[in-house]
Amino acid sequence: MRVPLSVLDLAFVPKGGSIGETIAASVALAQRAEELGYRRVWYAEHHNMPSIASSAPAVLIAHVAAHTRSIRLGAGGVMLPNHAPLTIAEQFGTLAEVHPGRIDLGLGRAPGSDQATFAALRRDPAASDAFPSDVLELQAYLAGDSRVPGVTAVPGAGTRVPLYVLGSSLFGAGLAAALGLPYAFASHFAPAALHDAVALYRREFAPSEQLERPYVIAGVNVLAADTEDDTRAQLVQVRRQRAVALFGRGQDLSDEQADALLDAGAGRHVDRMLTCTALGTPDQVGEQLDDFAVRADADELITAHASPTAEARLRSLSLLGEAARSVPA
């Protein structure tokens, strides 16, 4: 592989599955990723979504970290408008003290939920406007140099947990560049501004204490299987799952109903989300990822293994990891 590979685990809850089974599958996925040399595993904060079990990234990270030894783990990301910076500094500072050198903290500006859920979280709709200053406040807590007189993050102060700015637009790219932080682009579901955002970030990057040179992580969906026919069959199920999750309004829909959603217009939206997808046999996926890394001007790829079952996701991760490991450095 041209660049390091990481994993974005969406902690997907399958139809008829349980949260406990999903979390156990996340542990198994991280353990296998560690064995195969993936750089990191991240978990994203989503709320009020029955198909995703990562609403509390810090708790999930703590559990997975206790069952792994060396792989980096982090949030990809914490939606900072949902939280006070001090709370996140304390949570991730605690993780860093328990698992030193292994914790990342990716930060997003979107609420990661609908407006009703945002209200249930007791947050101000204008909180997103404070994202740049909240990032600086959080960074200062973790450095032990609080911007709030008389307030120290305990745990947290002095841990200097590395921060990453997440985004799918030019706003996040500009902020990451101005603060000298790594930039992770959500091309696995919102690819439209990828090239413009990365170009802006690299052009305007200002070195910082954390980072001397720009560093780009690009998200990409992966469906790796033993045969091309298997990946095509999986893609059919993935499109149905995405359509139901996004447009099914919480209903338990049959395959026929999901197909009707796709035909009614959801398919165009789902296919745009899946624009950055590598699928096929391990060799085919490897070639596609190498090509994508060049086109995205990425220093690292974070792979979202999109297969419809936990077993298939683990197989996809294993096939890609084994193929990447067999390529001479």
Side-chain angles (χ1 to χ4, degrees), residues 18-320:
S18 72
I19 300 293
E21 291 168 343
T22 293
I23 292 174
S26 288
V27 171
L29 198 75
Q31 290 173 333
R32 186 64 175 138
E34 183 174 76
E35 292 171 3
L36 290 169
Y38 283 85
R39 176 163 290 186
R40 67 186 94 238
V41 181
W42 280 0
Y43 307 93
E45 177 186 350
H46 293 282
H47 297 281
N48 196 31
M49 297 185 70
S51 61
I52 296 180
S54 55
S55 58
V59 180
L60 185 54
I61 290 166
H63 180 66
V64 176
H67 290 83
T68 51
R69 298 182 304 276
S70 59
I71 194 166
R72 297 193 68 89
L73 300 167
V78 163
M79 300 297 105
L80 198 53
N82 295 340
H83 311 278
L86 176 62
T87 299
I88 299 305
E90 291 168 342
Q91 290 176 1
F92 280 79
T94 300
L95 288 169
E97 293 288 3
V98 178
H99 306 285
R102 295 183 59 195
I103 303 301
D104 299 329
L105 177 49
L107 301 169
R109 183 170 65 114
S113 59
D114 54 41
Q115 290 302 312
T117 306
F118 197 57
L121 290 166
R122 301 295 193 270
R123 305 304 295 166
D124 183 340
S128 295
D129 297 337
F131 182 66
S133 60
D134 283 351
V135 172
L136 289 171
E137 183 180 333
L138 172 57
Q139 186 178 47
Y141 284 133
L142 293 170
D145 185 23
S146 175
R147 296 163 66 95
V148 182
V151 178
T152 301
V154 183
T159 57
R160 299 185 182 275
V161 176
L163 302 184
Y164 299 73
V165 174
L166 278 59
S168 58
S169 69
L170 301 186
F171 178 89
L175 180 63
L179 299 183
L181 295 176
Y183 181 51
F185 191 90
S187 34
H188 62 291
F189 75 88
L194 170 63
H195 301 292
D196 289 342
V198 171
L200 183 151
Y201 169 70
R202 291 193 179 279
R203 183 174 64 249
E204 298 189 0
F205 179 84
S208 68
E209 184 178 346
Q210 179 178 327
L211 193 66
E212 292 182 0
R213 293 180 296 276
Y215 192 86
V216 172
I217 302 174
V220 57
N221 299 292
V222 171
L223 285 167
D226 294 283
T227 68
E228 291 183 63
D229 287 344
D230 193 356
T231 59
R232 283 193 286 267
Q234 288 188 32
L235 182 59
V236 170
Q237 291 300 320
V238 169
R239 293 180 77 246
R240 287 170 175 162
Q241 289 175 345
R242 296 286 178 95
V244 172
L246 293 169
F247 302 103
R249 299 180 181 177
Q251 302 176 78
D252 185 9
L253 302 183
S254 66
D255 287 347
E256 291 75 16
Q257 291 170 315
D259 288 339
L261 271 180
L262 289 165
D263 292 340
R268 290 191 296 273
H269 185 84
V270 169
D271 290 341
R272 282 196 298 270
M273 291 178 66
L274 294 172
T275 298
C276 298
T277 299
L279 73 164
T281 63
D283 287 343
Q284 291 171 327
V285 168
E287 291 175 2
Q288 293 167 42
L289 291 180
D290 279 340
D291 179 64
F292 174 70
V294 172
R295 289 187 288 110
D297 196 12
D299 300 292
E300 179 180 335
L301 298 181
I302 189 158
T303 57
H305 293 264
S307 300
T309 67
E311 294 79 11
R313 286 192 295 278
L314 186 60
R315 182 63 176 159
S316 177
L317 178 140
S318 296
L319 288 171
L320 176 59

